[in-house]
Amino acid sequence: MADMVVRLASFVCLLAALPAAANVAASTRTPAAFTLSSGTARTRSEVLGEKLDFDCAEAEREAACRFEARYRLRNGTSEAEVIDAAFLGLRTREVSVRFDGEPLPVAEAQADPPGPTSGSREAAPAPSSPREALGRLADTPVERFGFTLTLPPGREGELVVRGVVQLERRFLPSGYVWPAVQVRHVLLSPEPGRATHWDIDYLLGPIRTWAGNPELHVTVRVPSAWEVGSSPDASARTLPVATDWRLRHEGAQAVAERRLEAASAPEWLNVTLTKRKPGWTPGGVQLGLGARLGDGSRFMARLGYQLAAPESLLHSLSVETDFREQLVLTPLTQYATPQVVIIPSLGLGLGVPVQVLPEVRPGLRLLADLHFGPLGAALSWDHYPALQEGTDSFSRLILLFQAGL
């Protein structure tokens, strides 16, 4: 029997707005303690490497990811080491633990607060500002799945933890900004589809309480149309970025990989899964009443349909008439700014008007419009070049007041 029995807390699986993952934290008396590491090794056994895999191929349908954490351990000493460990996780279920293929008994989940246990003098000390380091995770309770591992002298083996983490969507407030297609067609246009984000938050700091400086290899599998990134800060209120992730495709899946060294890694790693928003948004009907300006001025009316693809480009097909002798069909594409609080949406467009009556003539249209909500005004300039002998080129200026449905 070893002269000294070392107890450690193992495998912190932490997820914040969403699932988390696992990591190894060593503590001599309180395996349940959720603490950030001080960087001091508390075990004689070493972690030689960690591989963490998230399978999120069915994330949208199941609202969960399956994870597998593999740790290569080695007791290079001449004494056995008995390790009381715990897998800590948030919204984690179906946790199982194996060492070299043999299952280890795992205790039922017990809730623990996300802070150091004050009653233990031998717990791994936390940094001076744990709340600042953990950010939004500081008040997140975790569940503990305890187990015991014995490493004989000179033994090297692989510890594998598997489980399922439930996903929660990240909330990113849009503020008082509304896409042009939405404000111009408040009745018929649905709320534009937006990108959906889910977070995986993985504690890296606790692994530094083990001996050794292992390399951490993180792999995330998602549907091929999804993206993998990380949030640049702990608040998760900003859009994720793909920095430091290497992406490749395997059939219907995208695989993102990242490598870190335990000693230089941040206290926690955020992994964000993003489902991109749809490429187009249905719009609605557009009605306009106004006049053709200049010589030969007359009453004009416009009826059209508009959609967005992508969000900032509006595409429309409209018909204009004076109800007497003029009929024009116009496909048009315009760039439109969103409406910001009381700042209206401005659009600039280019189209191809085709005069059907009194004679068929194609032309070129330049358009500028201004909309506050569904109401606005549009000024268009149409030019019809002379395409045949005996015909003259001419231009028309039309001002219409518009309403979108």
Side-chain angles (χ1 to χ4, degrees):
M1 182 175 180
D3 295 332
M4 177 178 180
V5 176
V6 179
R7 296 182 176 271
L8 51 112
S10 183
F11 295 88
V12 177
C13 205
L14 205 269
L15 69 177
L18 179 58
N23 211 349
V24 177
S27 172
T28 57
R29 287 290 181 270
T30 54
F34 175 65
T35 60
L36 294 175
S37 70
S38 64
T40 303
R42 293 181 173 269
T43 62
R44 297 190 304 274
S45 298
E46 295 179 287
V47 178
L48 304 179
E50 175 188 353
K51 292 183 179 180
L52 178 65
D53 295 323
F54 287 97
D55 186 352
C56 302
E58 302 294 331
E60 185 175 23
R61 182 170 62 87
E62 298 181 355
C65 293
R66 295 191 173 273
F67 70 87
E68 179 182 86
R70 290 180 173 268
Y71 294 86
R72 195 69 185 172
L73 307 179
R74 180 178 64 192
N75 180 1
T77 70
S78 59
E79 296 178 341
E81 186 165 21
V82 179
I83 302 169
D84 286 341
F87 181 89
L88 306 179
L90 177 67
R91 302 182 185 93
T92 307
R93 54 185 171 85
E94 301 178 28
V95 173
S96 65
V97 181
R98 287 177 174 267
F99 182 70
D100 280 351
E102 294 297 324
L104 299 179
V106 179
E108 292 294 328
Q110 298 178 8
D112 285 315
T117 303
S118 58
S120 172
R121 293 178 299 175
E122 299 185 67
S128 58
S129 181
R131 286 185 176 272
E132 181 179 350
L134 283 174
R136 60 189 164 80
L137 309 184
D139 297 318
T140 304
V142 296
E143 291 183 322
R144 175 169 57 92
F145 301 84
F147 60 94
T148 301
L149 172 67
T150 300
L151 283 176
R155 178 68 180 274
E156 183 175 325
E158 187 174 59
L159 187 67
V160 179
V161 179
R162 295 188 178 98
V164 176
V165 288
Q166 294 297 128
L167 299 180
E168 283 191 357
R169 290 176 56 173
R170 177 198 297 196
F171 174 69
L172 285 175
S174 58
Y176 298 99
V177 179
W178 301 279
V181 69
Q182 182 182 3
V183 298
R184 295 180 183 216
H185 304 285
V186 292
L187 293 181
L188 298 182
S189 178
E191 184 173 346
R194 299 187 178 276
T196 306
H197 306 282
W198 291 277
D199 291 297
I200 299 173
D201 294 290
Y202 179 72
L203 277 177
L204 300 177
I207 202 172
R208 291 198 288 269
T209 60
W210 284 74
N213 181 27
E215 182 181 68
L216 313 178
H217 183 194
V218 184
T219 302
V220 184
R221 298 177 183 274
V222 295
S224 59
W226 288 26
E227 298 173 348
V228 177
S230 296
S231 289
D233 56 54
S235 67
R237 295 291 182 179
T238 54
L239 289 174
V241 295
T243 307
D244 299 328
W245 288 95
R246 294 188 297 108
L247 185 66
R248 56 186 171 87
H249 289 272
E250 292 182 356
Q253 294 185 3
V255 181
E257 296 179 292
R258 187 174 180 181
R259 294 179 182 271
L260 309 97
E261 283 192 356
S264 59
E267 290 288 347
W268 67 280
L269 172 67
N270 171 265
V271 181
T272 306
L273 313 180
T274 300
K275 179 186 177 183
R276 292 188 288 267
K277 60 185 176 183
W280 69 284
T281 304
V285 176
Q286 206 167 43
L287 304 173
L289 296 175
R292 190 174 79 190
L293 307 178
D295 296 339
S297 61
R298 61 184 62 186
F299 170 81
M300 296 292 295
R302 176 184 295 164
L303 173 65
Y305 182 83
Q306 194 171 63
L307 59 84
E311 192 175 85
S312 59
L313 290 181
L314 304 182
H315 310 278
S316 63
L317 179 63
S318 64
V319 56
E320 296 164 6
T321 182
D322 62 357
F323 297 101
R324 287 186 295 172
E325 60 183 36
Q326 186 175 351
L327 182 66
V328 179
L329 296 176
T330 307
L332 181 136
T333 295
Q334 66 182 113
Y335 171 79
T337 63
Q339 180 175 318
V340 182
V341 192
I342 61 173
I343 302 176
S345 170
L346 172 66
L348 298 174
L350 181 66
V352 181
V354 179
Q355 178 181 271
V356 179
L357 295 175
E359 60 179 354
V360 177
R361 295 279 297 270
L364 176 68
R365 169 170 293 183
L366 300 179
L367 177 140
D369 67 9
L370 192 68
H371 273 257
F372 187 82
L375 301 179
L379 180 66
S380 59
W381 176 78
D382 295 350
H383 179 72
Y384 295 89
L387 300 179
Q388 299 177 0
E389 292 186 8
T391 61
D392 296 325
S393 64
F394 61 93
S395 300
R396 288 174 177 160
L397 193 63
I398 302 174
L399 176 63
L400 297 175
F401 294 97
Q402 298 186 142
L405 301 178

